[in-house]
Amino acid sequence: MSEREIRIFGDPVLKTVSDPITQIDERVRGLIRDLVDSVKLPGRAGVAAAQIGVNLRAFSYNVDGVIGYVINPEITELAGELTEVGEGCLSVPDLWFPTPRYERATVTGIDLDGNPIAISGEGLLAQALQHETDHLNGMLYLDRLSKENRRKAMREVRESTWF
């Protein structure tokens, strides 16, 4: 498999709630390989299946040299303060805005063998877990911005060369 093209803001798949994965077959194994290959590129902390045009609940992450994936992720714990942190998104190129995120997060799901897994982290990993799970719920980080920042972000999107 290989790195896949990232879908850009305006693509309907990014605003669609992703379907659970009910069977681990070769299609799902290929999806996970593609997600892992796609997240290995520099500057990528996570890639959700929706971002590569697949409406299934899975994402990959790449934080502090640790690369992994989660199938059917659900946030099971958010802890610490809800603070605004600088955030961007591969699907909204070249924009960064303060986004409210919890300091710590835990996501549970399964691996390719169907075994339960839990990923917990703080800082960038917590941010990535929240961000990628949002993608699978049909949300972009822009949806979490304050009213003022969202207005500014949407103006920048409209003025961008990629929109």
Side-chain angles (χ1 to χ4, degrees):
M1 297 296 170
S2 61
E3 169 206 343
R4 302 264 296 268
E5 183 178 341
I6 300 295
R7 300 294 178 99
I8 301 298
F9 178 86
D11 188 316
V13 73
L14 296 172
K15 298 301 284 179
T16 303
V17 176
S18 297
D19 295 329
I21 293 172
T22 57
Q23 180 179 359
I24 307 230
D25 54 17
E26 280 311 305
R27 179 176 174 232
V28 170
R29 291 181 189 287
L31 170 63
I32 297 303
R33 282 191 299 270
D34 288 355
L35 285 169
V36 169
D37 286 348
S38 296
V39 83
K40 286 180 179 178
L41 295 174
R44 293 186 173 183
V47 175
Q51 290 181 281
I52 60 172
V54 179
N55 188 30
L56 292 174
R57 292 190 74 79
F59 69 73
S60 58
Y61 59 90
N62 180 0
V63 177
D64 297 329
V66 176
I67 296 173
Y69 67 90
V70 183
I71 296 170
N72 293 334
E74 297 294 335
I75 293 178
T76 55
E77 182 179 8
L78 295 170
E81 297 292 322
L82 182 64
T83 58
E84 288 191 334
V85 292
E87 189 163 316
C89 180
L90 298 171
S91 295
V92 189
D94 305 322
L95 271 68
W96 285 84
F97 284 91
T99 306
R101 296 288 183 194
Y102 285 92
E103 295 172 318
R104 294 184 298 284
T106 299
V107 167
T108 59
I110 60 172
D111 65 15
L112 282 170
D113 295 319
N115 297 317
I117 57 174
I119 310 295
S120 296
E122 55 187 38
L124 181 57
L125 180 56
Q127 186 178 359
L129 295 174
Q130 293 168 78
H131 181 105
E132 301 312 324
T133 302
D134 276 354
H135 273 301
L136 302 178
N137 293 327
M139 289 184 67
L140 293 168
Y141 86 103
L142 300 175
D143 299 320
R144 294 203 177 269
L145 300 180
S146 69
K147 196 174 196 176
E148 179 182 324
N149 281 336
R150 182 164 167 72
R151 196 174 10 236
K152 183 177 178 188
M154 296 311 294
R155 182 173 40 254
E156 288 186 30
V157 165
R158 286 188 300 276
E159 293 171 354
S160 69
T161 57
W162 52 262
F163 183 68

